[in-house]
Every structure is written in C-alpha cells, then in structure tokens.
Amino acid sequence: MSELPPLFTPFSLRGVTFPNRITLAPMCQYQAIEGVPNDWHRAHHGRYATSGIGCAIVESTGISREGRISPGCTGIYNDEQVEAWKPITALYRAQGIPVFMQINHAGAKASTKRPWDGMDPLDEGSDEPPWQTVAPSAIPAREGWHTPRALHESEMAGVAADFAAAAKRALAAGFDGVQIHGAHGYLLHSFMSPWSNRREDGYGGTLEGRMRLPVEVARAVRAAVPDDVPVMYRASCVDGEGGGLTLDDTVALSKELKAAGVDLMDCSGGGIPAGMRLAAMKTGPGFQVPYAHRIREEVEIPSMAVGMITEPQLANEIIAEGKADMVALARQMLREPAWPYRAAQELGLEDPASILPKLYAFYLKIAA
Ligand SMILES: Cc1cc2nc3c(=O)[nH]c(=O)nc-3n(C[C@H](O)[C@H](O)[C@H](O)COP(=O)(O)O)c2cc1C
C-alpha cells in the first residue's frame, strides 16, 4: 500500500478522530428564523456530509438571542434549536465525519442586517427591530453603527455561563465538540483588541486583563463538557489595519487557552476595526498560515490554518511541513463541494473514491 498524502492522514483530539485534515470552515447562512436551523441548513450540510471532508464546523451560532449577529443567525439557547440541529449532526455522523458547532456572542457586531441587505446595523424598518448590543467599551464597531453598552464587571460570569450552557446544548444536539468564536470582531475578540477594549478594570488595560474574559470562557466551556470532548478556539491572530492586536498577544493568549483546556487554535485574522473585509487585508494563497505555524511551534498546541487555501497541493504542504494540523476551507467549498475528492485524485490517494460515501465510492470505482 502506498503512503497516504499527509492531508489524508487521520488526526485526533481527545476522544475524536478526524478521518483526514480537511475541515469545512464555519459559514453563516443568515437563513434561520428565531435561531432555528431549517431545510436550507439541512441541504447545505448535506452537500458537505457527502463530500469526504474530515471535519465540519457549523456556522457562528448565538449563545443567546442578543449574541446573534443578525436575525438570520442560528442559535443554541433553547430546546427547539437543539432539536433542529439534530438532523444536521446526524448527516455527518452517518458518514463518520466529526462535526463541531461554533459558539459565539457577536458583541458590538450583533444586531446587523443580512449580507444581501447590506450588513448595516438593523433599523426600525428591518424585519426584526434592533437590539442593544454589548462590548468591553461603549465604542461602535464602525462609524455609524450601534453604540454598544459596556459590560459591567459583574456580568462577565454570565457571559462565560452562557458559553458553557451553549456547549452543553451543542453536545445534546449531537455535536462532537465546540469551537469558541474568538475572532472577527465579535465579543471575545473585542476584549482582546486594545482598539475596542479601553477598560480600566481587571478585564482590560494590560494584555492579561484583555485576555481575561476569553480565558474565563474557555475554562467554563472546558468544565461544561466531558474530558473526551475537544474544544477548539478560533482567534483573530491580528487585527485589521488600524487595530492594535498583535501576533505576540495571540501567542500569549494561546498559552493561556491551552492551560484552560483548549485543544486546537484555529488561526484567522481581522474584523477590528469592522468593515475590514478580507479583500481589504493583504491576502493571497494561505496568507494566514504563518499564524497557525508560529502558534503551533511556540505554544505546542495543534493548529488549524484557514484563508485562501484553494489548491490541494498547498493544503497538503501545510500539513506535510508541520505548519498546521488541519486546514479549513470556506469559499472554495462553496464553489466546489467535491474538492476533497479532487484533492484525493490530485494528491495520488490510491483509491480516491474511498473518501466518499460507500454508494458513490462503489460506482466511481466501477467507472474508473
Ligand atoms: C459565507 C461565509 C460565511 C462565513 N461565516 C463565518 C462564521 O460563521 N464564522 C467564522 O468564524 N467565519 C466565517 N466566515 C469566514 C470563513 O470561515 C473563513 O475564515 C474565510 O472565508 C477565509 O477562508 P476562505 O478563503 O477559505 O474562504 C465566513 C465566510 C464566508 C464566505
């Protein structure tokens, strides 16, 4: 038997084994009603549950109603939502693909319109009225956006408890683990960034203060789930242009998160100041891989690379060269849900169709 390309080797975190290193990155669908996923989400995930990926991370899902980004965002704060997620996790389970939920509080970037409605703050004419947003400091995420209310020190334990309750509900819905969303300008990232966190109490100021809420959340989530359940953390490793968060800060955060029981750092970037879309950052193939590489080496924690990884050769090299343990793809998987099969073919997997569901594999093998 020939040696497996590194991209197609299994990888484990705690009690969960991923059949390969290809991850479906979390992608908001903006099509839920009152946080409840529906036919759209089932169809969307059906495409990927049959694609041969090694891990799926479902979209940013609100830990509370106010924590949703938009009225179309999914939630995990009530029983109806737990029930509605079950058929989606079942799709992945039937194919042996571990599935994670990204749990989030959108902070100052909550209460926004769906992308196709402009992604501006909700207003009185929107299908759902705007709601009061919260943040470390009363600074709008962007000029003209809602002014958030600065969270009081006494409210921090409640935020951590909401994340922990969300993690428990995610497991009840059949998820294999959770990913804490600490990126893209949402609540936890906004605590990390000196641009958005101007607090002078124990939750701001020094790097230690800025890290405090993210670390408390990680501890609370770890304590809420069994030992064999992995917890991932997605960080914006650096702010966008004009922000203040540095990679050194994120290395320090990763050390603390590792000690708090986080198992993998998913290394993204940007989101503060808001409006710095990916296109506005210096992007190119694998542009965020250096973050995943440095954190993996320096913190000795598994890492995930994401951002313009579109070609199998690049994805395979990232794993082969030890720059990350897993790779996540978002837009390329929208373009090409059969990407893992193409990757298996191009990287010379002995039996490329073997990564697909058995019926597909059976017929593709006959056709080969
Ligand atoms: C439609 C869409 C929705 C997204 N939603 C989320 C999300 O819910 N959570 C998140 O952390 N990132 C989200 N992202 C960012 C992706 O996970 C990914 O980090 C980014 O698109 C870069 O990867 P890519 O170049 O493979 O697209 C989204 C991206 C897209 C295209």
Side-chain angles (χ1 to χ4, degrees):
M1 212 178 105
S2 63
E3 216 175 288
L4 286 173
L7 187 64
F8 285 98
T9 54
F11 182 66
S12 297
L13 292 173
R14 295 191 186 246
V16 171
T17 299
F18 308 96
N20 63 56
R21 313 302 181 98
I22 305 166
T23 300
L24 176 73
M27 279 189 277
C28 285
Q29 300 299 301
Y30 303 100
Q31 289 176 76
I33 295 168
E34 282 298 334
V36 181
N38 53 42
D39 278 350
W40 171 261
H41 303 82
R42 292 188 283 277
H44 171 73
H45 287 289
R47 293 172 97 196
Y48 301 111
T50 51
S51 73
I53 54 175
C55 171
I57 305 177
V58 308
E59 66 192 272
S60 160
T61 296
I63 58 165
S64 59
R65 195 166 187 274
E66 300 69 30
R68 294 171 305 156
I69 303 167
S70 78
C73 286
T74 51
I76 190 73
Y77 48 86
N78 65 36
D79 294 344
E80 187 186 357
Q81 294 156 354
V82 170
E83 289 308 311
W85 281 113
K86 283 182 180 173
I88 295 169
T89 57
L91 288 170
Y92 287 107
R93 173 144 303 111
Q95 302 305 328
I97 301 168
V99 55
F100 282 57
M101 170 178 272
Q102 187 184 56
I103 50 177
N104 189 23
H105 190 302
K109 290 175 84 174
S111 187
T112 60
K113 297 180 182 174
R114 298 168 183 83
W116 46 87
D117 295 328
M119 220 158 197
D120 294 321
L122 290 174
D123 52 43
E124 293 305 332
S126 304
D127 59 338
E128 212 178 278
W131 62 86
Q132 176 64 58
T133 57
V134 295
S137 306
I139 300 169
R142 188 179 180 178
E143 218 184 295
W145 279 28
H146 303 305
T147 300
R149 179 177 67 76
L151 281 170
H152 191 266
E153 211 169 340
S154 64
E155 294 175 283
M156 303 303 175
V159 172
D162 284 350
F163 270 96
K168 278 192 169 161
R169 284 187 187 279
L171 298 191
F175 286 91
D176 296 283
V178 292
Q179 179 178 79
I180 300 168
H181 200 345
H184 305 166
Y186 300 118
L187 188 67
L188 298 184
H189 176 197
S190 69
F191 268 83
M192 278 302 294
S193 172
W195 187 92
S196 42
N197 186 344
R198 316 274 172 94
R199 300 177 75 93
E200 289 171 0
D201 63 4
Y203 287 92
T206 60
L207 172 60
E208 202 189 356
R210 287 185 280 122
M211 292 194 297
R212 188 165 161 197
L213 183 65
V215 173
E216 286 179 356
V217 165
R219 277 199 207 112
V221 169
R222 168 47 63 210
V225 302
D227 260 7
D228 59 349
V229 170
V231 174
M232 301 180 179
Y233 190 98
R234 174 171 268 205
S236 270
C237 296
V238 295
D239 279 345
E241 214 178 310
L245 182 72
T246 66
L247 186 54
D248 286 344
D249 291 347
T250 307
V251 168
L253 172 70
S254 305
K255 287 181 184 158
E256 294 297 319
L257 293 176
K258 181 182 171 188
V262 166
D263 304 299
L264 174 140
M265 291 297 294
D266 176 5
C267 299
S268 189
I272 289 181
M276 298 289 299
R277 295 274 161 87
L278 274 180
M281 291 170 58
K282 268 194 196 144
T283 60
F287 69 105
Q288 294 177 139
V289 173
Y291 311 149
H293 189 190
R294 180 166 163 208
I295 287 170
R296 183 176 190 268
E297 298 247 297
E298 220 169 301
V299 184
E300 295 179 355
I301 186 170
S303 72
M304 182 182 282
V306 64
M308 292 187 73
I309 300 168
T310 58
E311 288 313 310
Q313 200 60 44
L314 174 63
N316 196 50
E317 271 168 30
I318 292 167
I319 306 300
E321 293 169 9
K323 292 180 171 162
D325 298 280
M326 300 181 80
V327 290
L329 284 71
R331 289 166 293 179
Q332 190 61 26
M333 289 300 284
L334 293 182
R335 281 184 206 109
E336 190 189 359
W339 190 89
Y341 182 51
R342 173 161 75 86
Q345 290 175 307
E346 289 183 11
L347 296 174
L349 198 73
E350 197 171 298
D351 177 8
S354 65
I355 68 161
L356 297 173
K358 61 177 183 268
L359 175 110
Y360 295 2
F362 180 81
Y363 282 96
L364 291 177
K365 231 172 150 174
I366 292 179

